[in-house]
Amino acid sequence: MRHPPRSVLLAVTGAVALVGAMTVPVVTAQGATPACSVEYSVTGQWDSGFQGAVKITNNTAAMSGWSLTFDFAGGQKITQGWNAKWSQSGTTVTATNESYNGSPAIGTSVSAGFLASRPAAGGNAVPTSFKLNGTPCNVDPEPSPTPTDPPATGTAPALHVAGNKLVDASGATRRLLGVNRSGGEFMCVQGRGIWDGPVDDAAIKAIADWKANAVRIPLNEECWLGLSDINSEYGGTHYVNAVKDLVARVEAHGMTPIVELHWTYGQYTGNSAGCSDVHATCQKPMPDAQYTPSFWTSVANTFKGDKAVAFDLFNEPYPDRAASTTTQAWQCWRDGGTCPGIGYQVAGMQDLVDAVRATGAENVVLAGGLAYSNDLSQWLTYKPSDPTGNLVAAYHGYNFNTCASESCWNSTLAPVAAQVPLVAGEIGENTCSHGFIDQAMKWFDDHDLSYLGWTWNTWDCSSGPSLISNYDGTPTSYGIGLRDHLRAVNP
């Protein structure tokens, strides 16, 4: 989507300028960070009691409430506490947040203390395991849900291209039908977190309950690479681990994760500019040669062992708004370099395919066309070369786009779809209804193609547009159309 709602796009001020042509380190996930860490300590002890403390560090996404549980093994009993609501049932101790400390951001800690009794003649055995919101702490992260939410048992299939279809390892066709989960592209660069709303197992299960089988995850290249203008709590390793965790949760529910580059570096102030900022705070017309190849090298190295993950190279190219001719725009799209009307060096789609494949990654790769991915009229002519053959055409369609009718789809999309898989990475409308997407989904169904609705976020449907009003999956009037359709085609 070109314009997420203004209510969530806060201005970024005081950004630290990048100096010169700095070398960007390739970020890889080396040694998984625990989802949470708990430090337990006994700060005072006497014959029949003791004082204890816990320090809880959140290493995943920002929370909207927390509950810590652990078990005493030596007959200890909580008598009172502070900075948390403490309770005990049998041997199990529970500490839940107070109103003032319930939303620890990623990488931050909360401390709480308590008084407890203990047998006078006994010891004071230290608890050995802790869970935060049902997730084990101090161990490598796992896509395990809370105790009240049965574990997800599905596994997303490895995908590859066969002719003009996406297929799994057995050769069965896999249409990608699902939603976009926005937030990872803007929250971090605005210094407000990593995700917009919850991405825990319950939140992902709510998507699966719509019978979605794919989730597109927009990302920000500066946050992934941990560049100097990004708050360290939301960039680099913290960001990478948060993305890995979300990908794992999506896969655990049998859904295909599509990691997608949404916002990038490079100053553009020409026609249809989304912002004048050099930093990755809005949609740029093309990816930048300075950082985007490093981004895709890192992402590909991170996920190349998992062919269930698909890569969407760049959200919505629009070099056609800067160039004088359509030919110039398509050449810029494929080949990059010095492009008419764009003041920074561009990474073309061929550069990005090459960056991914140079790592050995054979994951499916999506490439959207011109006009914010709405124009695929010359996609086949300028198709990048992919030695693995796992290249997919990506289209975005909204009711306000130029190509938003069956006649346009028949003339420009159908010829592409006859030769390569075609995925509508975003479909939507700003009417707060679902008349347009109903028409679009029928056409894509009739042509055995894929589509994902924008977006699984609780914004106003006319400015988002938003599929839900609550992260439990409550649909908006617009979202009802996608939900009911997905349930009908994936019973």
Side-chain angles (χ1 to χ4, degrees):
M1 183 70 181
R2 193 186 332 166
H3 300 297
R6 295 183 184 275
S7 61
V8 299
L9 301 183
L10 305 181
V12 177
T13 59
V16 179
L18 296 172
V19 180
M22 61 180 288
T23 300
V24 181
V26 173
V27 180
T28 56
Q30 298 176 355
T33 301
C36 48
S37 302
V38 176
E39 299 174 27
Y40 177 95
S41 58
V42 175
T43 57
Q45 187 167 285
W46 50 95
D47 286 345
S48 59
F50 68 101
Q51 179 175 327
V54 291
K55 180 182 178 182
I56 307 163
T57 302
N58 172 30
N59 296 321
T60 53
M63 297 177 178
S64 57
W66 54 265
S67 176
L68 176 72
T69 58
F70 58 87
D71 286 299
F72 279 138
Q76 303 98 321
K77 297 288 185 183
I78 295 285
T79 57
Q80 59 179 286
W82 51 94
N83 284 351
K85 298 180 179 72
W86 293 87
S87 61
Q88 185 170 345
S89 176
T91 61
T92 302
V93 175
T94 302
T96 57
N97 64 277
E98 296 284 7
S99 60
Y100 53 82
N101 64 1
S103 303
I106 183 172
T108 62
S109 302
V110 175
S111 295
F114 61 88
L115 297 178
S117 63
R118 66 186 183 95
N124 193 7
V126 173
T128 58
S129 63
F130 303 85
K131 289 184 177 181
L132 188 65
N133 292 346
T135 298
C137 298
N138 304 335
V139 297
D140 286 349
E142 300 175 2
S144 300
T146 62
T148 56
D149 195 357
T153 58
T155 301
L159 298 178
H160 66 275
V161 171
N164 66 342
K165 303 294 184 185
L166 283 172
V167 299
D168 63 20
S170 71
T173 298
R174 174 85 167 186
R175 294 173 67 203
L176 303 183
L177 307 174
V179 302
N180 285 261
R181 182 63 178 90
S182 182
E185 73 274 34
F186 64 83
M187 288 290 285
C188 56
V189 77
Q190 294 170 2
R192 299 193 291 132
I194 294 180
W195 307 116
D196 178 40
V199 291
D200 58 10
D201 192 78
I204 304 308
K205 181 179 182 296
I207 298 175
D209 286 346
W210 276 31
K211 298 300 182 179
N213 70 8
V215 179
R216 184 168 174 264
I217 305 169
L219 302 181
N220 185 296
E221 77 178 11
E222 290 195 60
C223 298
W224 180 281
L225 294 172
L227 300 191
S228 60
D229 58 302
I230 303 299
N231 184 326
S232 61
E233 292 184 13
Y234 311 130
T237 300
H238 286 163
Y239 186 86
V240 171
N241 285 341
V243 174
K244 288 178 63 184
D245 183 67
L246 178 53
V247 165
R249 289 186 183 278
V250 169
E251 289 188 358
H253 284 278
M255 298 184 290
T256 297
I258 305 171
V259 292
E260 172 264 314
L261 179 55
H262 213 83
W263 284 1
T264 52
Y265 185 85
Q267 189 169 41
Y268 174 73
T269 57
N271 184 26
S272 301
C275 63
S276 60
D277 191 1
V278 69
H279 293 296
T281 58
C282 69
Q283 180 67 45
K284 305 298 172 67
M286 282 293 290
D288 62 291
Q290 187 170 357
Y291 297 120
T292 307
S294 294
F295 168 88
W296 276 114
T297 297
S298 175
V299 171
N301 274 315
T302 300
F303 293 112
K304 66 182 180 182
D306 181 3
K307 293 182 183 178
V309 182
F311 301 155
D312 192 345
L313 295 177
F314 188 67
N315 178 44
E316 293 183 343
Y318 60 98
D320 46 298
R321 299 296 178 94
S324 300
T325 68
T326 299
T327 297
Q328 289 178 337
W330 278 106
Q331 288 175 340
C332 175
W333 179 86
R334 184 188 63 194
D335 301 328
T338 301
C339 291
I342 301 176
Y344 56 88
Q345 287 292 298
V346 167
M349 294 297 151
Q350 187 64 64
D351 297 319
L352 303 186
V353 171
D354 291 346
V356 170
R357 299 306 181 215
T359 68
E362 297 181 355
N363 302 61
V364 167
V365 167
L366 286 70
L370 300 187
Y372 305 95
S373 294
N374 187 242
D375 176 10
L376 301 188
S377 59
Q378 296 189 47
W379 193 96
L380 291 174
T381 301
Y382 291 90
K383 174 186 175 183
S385 174
D386 178 10
T388 72
N390 285 320
L391 187 66
V392 172
Y395 162 84
H396 290 186
Y398 291 85
N399 59 307
F400 47 80
N401 288 148
T402 300
C403 188
S405 65
E406 288 191 26
S407 60
C408 184
W409 300 331
N410 287 331
S411 63
T412 65
L413 299 191
V416 177
Q419 294 195 37
V420 298
L422 193 153
V423 173
E426 294 182 15
I427 60 170
E429 57 188 286
N430 60 357
T431 65
C432 290
S433 187
H434 49 85
F436 171 76
I437 65 164
D438 287 348
Q439 178 189 23
M441 290 186 293
K442 182 182 185 303
W443 190 90
F444 277 81
D445 286 343
D446 289 345
H447 292 77
D448 203 25
L449 302 175
S450 303
Y451 47 85
L452 296 93
W454 182 275
T455 174
W456 190 273
N457 297 75
T458 55
W459 308 331
D460 177 78
C461 62
S462 63
S463 59
S466 286
L467 295 164
I468 55 170
S469 59
N470 189 290
Y471 286 101
D472 65 4
T474 302
T476 60
S477 54
Y478 153 66
I480 287 172
L482 182 69
R483 182 199 63 182
D484 291 354
H485 191 82
L486 291 180
R487 289 178 174 175
V489 298
N490 287 328

